[in-house]
Amino acid sequence: MQDFKIVLSEEDISRRVRELGAQITKDYQGKKPIIVCMLKGAILFFSDLIRQLDLPITIEFARLSSYKNGVTSGEIEIIDTIKTDIAGKDVLIVEDVVDSGKTLAFFKDILLKQNPASVKICALLDKPEKRKTQVDVDYTGFTLGDKFVIGYGLDYAERFRELPSLAVVDSEEEAKSKL
Ligand code: IMP
Ligand code: MG
């Protein structure tokens, strides 16, 4: 892992993903949820999680952006959103990390206007200390403090998404030196 400090190993992650999958399977019994992958960061979490769901799911992808070169800009841009009709459907958004909460509060609002039966959020990581906009995270993998992490889909300046574990970056200089 290029000398980064690992905070969650592959085993830690896969154990928690199995637990989340079992819980979601139980909660959505009798339903046919639409599982939405938030690109790019949730790609690995999403692909592992959906294989733990014993439900008749369909999948969709959305891509919103709020970070530029590792630093938040505060502005949210919709790069691509789901095109399917979600009226009357149960939607589960799968996200890598909820930080300020702005991205998901914004996206959930858009989806709620389309009259779905429900919209819930499943995030691999939650940083409640960093919250600026209130948003309910219905399923959380792990809670983190004010730390910047990379790997397992999460990037710094579009790098390190392929790393199988989650590692903490202590400073911008550390991340930059390894780009
Ligand atoms: P929010 O709108 O501030 O909640 O932004 C969440 C988005 O910021 C996530 O989907 C990530 O793309 C990015 N992000 C937040 N924290 C981290 C981190 O620690 N590592 C990598 N990306 C992060
Ligand atoms: Mg993201």
Side-chain angles (χ1 to χ4, degrees), residues 67 95-97 99-103 127 148-149 154-155:
Y67 274 67
E95 175 64 301
D96 53 357
V97 44
D99 189 276
S100 72
K102 286 182 183 172
T103 307
K127 301 183 188 174
F148 195 84
V149 289
L154 286 81
D155 72 309

Side-chain angles (χ1 to χ4, degrees), residues 4 43 45 52-53 74 88 97 108 126 128 130 132 135 138 151 155 160 164:
F4 283 113
I43 174 172
F45 176 45
Q52 298 299 325
L53 300 179
V97 44
K108 189 174 173 180
D126 188 6
K130 298 283 299 290
K132 292 203 176 79
V135 63
D138 303 280
D155 72 309
F160 314 119

Side-chain angles (χ1 to χ4, degrees), residues 12-109:
D12 297 331
I13 296 167
S14 81
R15 192 182 317 115
R16 188 69 189 119
V17 171
R18 280 197 300 275
E19 289 171 2
L20 287 169
Q23 185 64 50
I24 293 165
T25 297
K26 191 162 156 259
D27 294 352
Y28 283 84
Q29 277 309 299
K31 295 179 174 162
K32 296 179 175 178
I34 300 171
I35 318 292
V36 181
C37 175
M38 300 298 282
L39 296 172
K40 302 176 186 170
I43 174 172
L44 296 186
F45 176 45
F46 174 85
S47 51
D48 286 342
L49 182 68
I50 61 172
R51 283 178 284 181
Q52 298 299 325
L53 300 179
D54 189 7
L55 292 166
I57 64 161
T58 54
I59 63 170
E60 289 291 334
F61 296 87
R63 191 168 160 209
L64 279 73
S65 164
S66 67
Y67 274 67
K68 304 228 157 65
N69 293 324
V71 183
T72 182
S73 67
E75 295 284 308
I76 296 156
E77 187 190 349
I78 301 179
I79 297 166
D80 197 13
T81 188
I82 63 176
K83 270 95 188 172
T84 187
D85 182 11
I86 61 166
K89 304 275 180 63
D90 294 290
V91 179
L92 180 64
I93 302 169
V94 177
E95 175 64 301
D96 53 357
V97 44
V98 185
D99 189 276
S100 72
K102 286 182 183 172
T103 307
L104 283 187
F106 175 81
F107 187 56
K108 189 174 173 180
D109 249 34

Side-chain angles (χ1 to χ4, degrees), residues 126-139:
D126 188 6
K127 301 183 188 174
E129 288 173 27
K130 298 283 299 290
R131 202 72 91 250
K132 292 203 176 79
T133 305
Q134 200 273 329
V135 63
D136 291 327
V137 182
D138 303 280
Y139 303 96

